[in-house]
Amino acid sequence: MTAASATRRLRGWGLVLFAAALAAQSCIPRSWAQVSAHPAGELIYRAGILPSAQPLSGVREPNLPILGAEAACMNCHRRSGFGDVEGHIKIPAVTGKYLFSPRGYESEQRRLPVVDAAHSSRDAYTNETLARAIREGVGPDGHKLNYLMPHYALNEADMAALIEYLKSMTPVRSPGVERAALHFATIVTSDADPTQRRGLLDVLERFFADRSEAAFAGTPYGQVSHGKISANRRWQLHVWDLTGPPEGWDEQLHAWLLREPVLAVISGLGGRTWAPIHRFCEQAELPCLFPDVDLPVVAEHDFYSVYFSRGVLLEAGLIARGLTDGKTAPGVGRVVQIFRSGDIGEPAANALSAAVTGFQVLNRPLKAGNVERDLAAALRDVNRRDALVLWLRPKDLEALARLPAAKSRVFVSGLMGGLDSAPLPPAWRAVTTMAYPMDLPDKRVIRVDFPLGWFRIKRIPVVDERVQTDAWLACNFLSETLDHMGETVSRDYLIDSLEGRLDHVLLTGYYPRLSLGPNQRFASKGGYLVRFAEPEGKRLVAISDWIAP
């Protein structure tokens, strides 16, 4: 990695939610999380905002000014304070114990968790030398720090607030971390598909059992093996099945977390909404890693919830690109969208309406009733110059067989319709383009063969390949990340470590590439527009390049 590219990447980490933090004087909601004892220093560190509500300012060599969110300390040193390693550049840990521990501190070093970016070969900082480092970029031994370290303009009071906050950032273990076990939850909503639920739990339970068996075969509990705290602790899975309507889920989640404290939520399964779970995890500062939901919450400035993709909202972006590029659907006048009221196709249709300009958009929701009759009514005046967008489930797509094929260009949601198993009638296939927010089947074969082989070895029935593959991937990412974290197991560091490692993962399942970073909560960023190759069968042909809306 070149110095210039490192600088660009680190600067990119500065996109913190400045306006919200300025208004609230806080970067995160806290209903369950511990309130910081040093809010002024936390605001400087996380948001780049001074106690006066003015933006933090600094200068990075060579004379590059930075301001506000871009200047926030956590852009480089991460939210956890444990730093980062990017290529040959080490961004050091800045929590108090690492900063103020002296060179060659053997007895103290044994009590400090190991992190990649810890420095043990320099003198300990004092309040005075740390203030000099922050203002002038000079280390405790008088040597110049890396040019990436800005020189900050902080008065004495603001400097004291920041230093006290750094001292308070101690590497403590999170709830759900016990001497003999690591506890995790998976969340299943009341409207989730029962077959998918069983397939998901088959994968999670077997993966957790394997990890626990490996722990029993390793070193005694409580003793770290090769610096990997997860290597000698069994993994305990808690299944939080939510009941009733979404309005009651928050209360249930609070009760679950009280009874069963966990380090993180792993995978999970949703139906029409995931918003209450997303909101709860952000408020509780509880990592929620890769739930299987086709309508995730788009809140890139949140921290604790990460997803594989935007789901149907990504599909809306793909279709919008197809409508506006002039090639997939030339000469379109109107866009007619058909969806079921209350299903995830409704917000997807709204997203597409907002994404396309210059088109008349007609939304035609279907209500409970005669499917064939309602579809016929919705299609009554669709003509050749229209683009018809179907946000429909397989049962509704099957009903199209009893209706004449549309004369217009048709777009269909792959996620809602069943992807390459979508039951589109042959006559409709000829005019239909499918939004496909993942890699093409022939390109992902090798990557998907790994989890499928594991399913065969473990005798796990494959009832939904995508859901089960995603669950396996989520567990695999969690396992590799925990092993990388060594003895330091905290919720913030878990997210920080996952962000740093996902770029280098080779087994990405249905997705060609996965990556995360600050203000990036969706690991896969794009997809294709495809069509069926023949009147029958599952073979798909891409009619676009990879699109990242």
Side-chain angles (χ1 to χ4, degrees), residues 355-414:
V356 294
T357 57
F359 297 99
Q360 180 186 4
V361 180
L362 303 178
N363 290 336
R364 294 178 175 174
L366 302 179
K367 299 180 180 179
N370 185 291
V371 176
E372 184 178 337
R373 181 192 62 205
D374 291 346
L375 279 173
L379 294 169
R380 62 186 180 277
D381 61 344
V382 176
N383 60 58
R384 293 182 183 275
R385 295 196 66 250
D386 293 333
L388 176 64
V389 184
L390 304 177
W391 302 101
L392 298 176
R393 302 286 185 179
K395 287 185 178 180
D396 288 328
L397 294 182
E398 289 174 349
L400 294 174
R402 299 185 290 275
L403 297 172
K407 296 179 180 179
S408 64
R409 170 56 61 186
V410 180
F411 292 86
V412 65
S413 163

Side-chain angles (χ1 to χ4, degrees), residues 186 195-211 235 237 239 266-268 292 308 450-456 458-477:
T186 194
T195 301
Q196 291 181 339
R197 177 189 181 277
R198 184 63 263 161
L200 176 100
L201 292 183
D202 282 345
V203 174
L204 296 182
E205 289 167 354
R206 183 66 262 177
F207 198 103
F208 273 59
D210 282 2
R211 286 296 310 219
W235 284 25
L237 179 67
V239 181
I266 181 68
S267 190
D292 206 286
F308 280 114
F450 277 85
L452 291 180
W454 189 83
F455 299 157
R456 288 191 295 270
K458 303 300 178 181
R459 298 182 179 178
I460 295 175
V462 178
V463 296
D464 191 302
E465 182 181 287
R466 180 173 66 93
V467 167
Q468 290 174 281
T469 297
D470 283 355
W472 181 88
L473 280 179
C475 288
N476 205 49
F477 298 158

Side-chain angles (χ1 to χ4, degrees), residues 187-193 196-197 200 242 249 267-275 277 291-295 344 393 467:
I187 299 173
V188 181
T189 64
S190 55
D191 59 349
D193 182 270
Q196 291 181 339
R197 177 189 181 277
L200 176 100
L242 301 178
W249 292 352
S267 190
L269 192 62
R272 288 184 295 275
T273 181
W274 190 256
I277 298 97
D292 206 286
V293 289
D294 290 335
L295 180 63
I344 63 175
R393 302 286 185 179
V467 167

